[in-house]
Amino acid sequence: MEIAKNWEDYEIIDMANGEKLEKWKDIVLVRPDPQIIWKEKQRPNEWRKQNARYNRSKTGGGSWEYKNKLPSSWQVKYKNLTFNIKPMGFKHTGLFPEQAVNWDWMIEKIKGAKRDIKVLNLFAYTGGATVACLSAGASVCHVDSSKGMVTWAKENVESSNLSNRSVRYIVDDVVKFVNREIRRGNKYDGIIMDPPSYGRGANGEVWQFEDNIYDLVNLCKEVLSDNPLFFLINSYTTGISGKVLENILNITVGKKYNGKICSGEIGLPMKESKLVLPCRYLW
């Protein structure tokens, strides 16, 4: 497991009973996590310091309960990267801190390439990977079907003082966009995707992970350059083994290019503890 242990503005203080107590700069949040099935709290007194808690509803979804007034947004830094945090519906904050493992990996790959690198970021959300790749000197095409998420990504790029870097923001269904890039003859040295289990495109297109992931990966090999640097897939879809996506990459991208294909877990450490929260896989 690769652990995101280099954060200064984020930490898990404690976790128990299906919840994590986490600190985002100066704001302490409680959010649910299905991986936390143990019951014993390590720091019970710390839970009194929470600023807000996300409570799940028995009928689905949930809502935030604010213990005191929070700013509408605030910033956290990871090394030289700056991100805008906002409590959202369905417990999210706009950033997955475990992804710092992947940011570091991509930054190292891009800087080590010693050449111009073009990256395609699909299901790009609020742009954590976009910011990381831009900071390393790559040009990035950022694609997401949500206009609001693309706007948020622009804010993160601006906050990281990277607005002068080469970046395209595209609000579109990723499959339709990749098909257009194939027709245009555009190529990329790196591809990143973080597909949801289920979602809808900009014009109502339906995405179902199990039904569509193979076709998308197979399609994306057509926009890889002759000398690609990486192809990274994140998945948090329940029931899908890491080996499944490793197999897909082997029979699609692996057939066309030489390279190492592997899968594994990434996680977040708990403060001053041996406990680690597994978060999702990397490929």
Side-chain angles (χ1 to χ4, degrees):
M1 175 182 284
E2 300 292 331
I3 300 174
K5 56 187 177 182
N6 296 319
W7 277 96
E8 293 185 5
D9 280 0
Y10 174 86
E11 65 180 3
I12 294 178
I13 302 169
D14 199 3
M15 42 187 177
N17 298 310
E19 294 180 316
K20 55 188 172 185
L21 179 71
E22 54 186 356
K23 190 174 184 180
W24 299 79
K25 193 66 178 284
D26 300 320
I27 306 295
V28 178
L29 303 178
V30 176
R31 294 192 297 156
D33 193 293
Q35 299 279 357
I36 304 171
I37 62 174
W38 54 93
K39 299 179 180 180
E40 182 179 350
K41 294 178 179 178
Q42 307 300 305
R43 300 181 178 89
N45 292 333
E46 294 292 319
W47 293 77
R48 301 171 186 169
K49 300 177 183 179
Q50 62 185 268
N51 298 109
R53 172 192 295 270
Y54 186 86
N55 296 312
R56 285 198 181 279
S57 169
K58 293 180 180 179
T59 58
S63 61
W64 286 95
E65 175 189 357
Y66 295 98
K67 307 297 181 180
N68 46 55
K69 188 174 181 179
L70 295 185
S72 57
S73 68
W74 66 96
Q75 293 183 335
V76 299
K77 293 184 72 69
Y78 180 75
K79 298 182 178 179
N80 62 326
L81 312 179
T82 302
F83 301 101
N84 297 279
I85 305 302
K86 309 171 189 178
M88 302 166 58
F90 198 65
K91 79 176 182 178
H92 295 312
T93 61
L95 192 70
F96 294 95
E98 67 272 14
Q99 288 299 317
V101 167
N102 288 335
W103 304 337
D104 288 341
W105 179 79
M106 288 183 286
I107 288 169
E108 181 181 0
K109 287 283 186 184
I110 292 166
K111 288 184 174 180
K114 305 297 183 183
R115 57 187 170 94
D116 292 338
I117 297 297
K118 289 177 61 180
V119 174
L120 176 60
N121 189 8
L122 302 174
F123 307 99
Y125 195 50
T126 60
T130 294
V131 171
C133 292
L134 288 174
S135 76
S139 61
V140 180
C141 182
H142 176 109
V143 186
D144 197 279
S145 64
S146 168
K147 184 177 180 180
M149 293 301 103
V150 173
T151 298
W152 196 336
K154 291 180 182 178
E155 294 171 2
N156 286 332
V157 170
E158 291 168 0
S159 296
S160 295
N161 297 314
L162 296 169
S163 299
N164 62 333
R165 303 295 174 92
S166 177
V167 56
R168 295 167 62 202
Y169 300 101
I170 307 293
V171 180
D172 202 354
D173 173 74
V174 299
V175 175
K176 289 184 176 179
F177 178 77
V178 173
N179 273 308
R180 286 203 303 275
E181 291 294 85
I182 292 171
R183 293 194 294 270
R184 293 166 179 152
N186 287 337
K187 301 288 185 177
Y188 297 89
D189 305 293
I191 294 178
I192 309 159
M193 62 174 70
D194 194 350
S197 299
Y198 177 85
R200 290 189 178 274
N203 296 307
E205 302 89 347
V206 176
W207 166 271
Q208 186 76 41
F209 187 93
E210 294 89 337
D211 296 337
N212 301 119
I213 187 63
Y214 170 81
D215 290 337
L216 178 59
V217 174
N218 197 39
L219 193 67
C220 283
K221 78 176 190 292
E222 302 302 323
V223 293
L224 278 172
S225 66
D226 293 335
N227 186 24
L229 192 60
F230 60 78
F231 195 127
L232 176 67
I233 308 174
N234 287 293
S235 172
Y236 47 90
T237 299
T238 303
I240 298 296
S241 164
K243 202 66 180 176
V244 170
L245 288 186
E246 191 175 326
N247 290 342
I248 288 174
L249 285 171
N250 269 308
I251 61 180
T252 55
V253 178
K255 276 190 175 180
K256 190 173 181 180
Y257 302 93
N258 293 321
K260 181 181 179 182
I261 298 175
C262 59
S263 60
E265 284 186 287
I266 55 179
L268 288 165
M270 194 175 98
K271 174 184 177 182
E272 298 172 357
S273 168
K274 294 181 179 179
L275 302 186
V276 175
L277 178 64
C279 299
R280 57 174 72 180
Y281 291 93
L282 66 96
W283 320 102

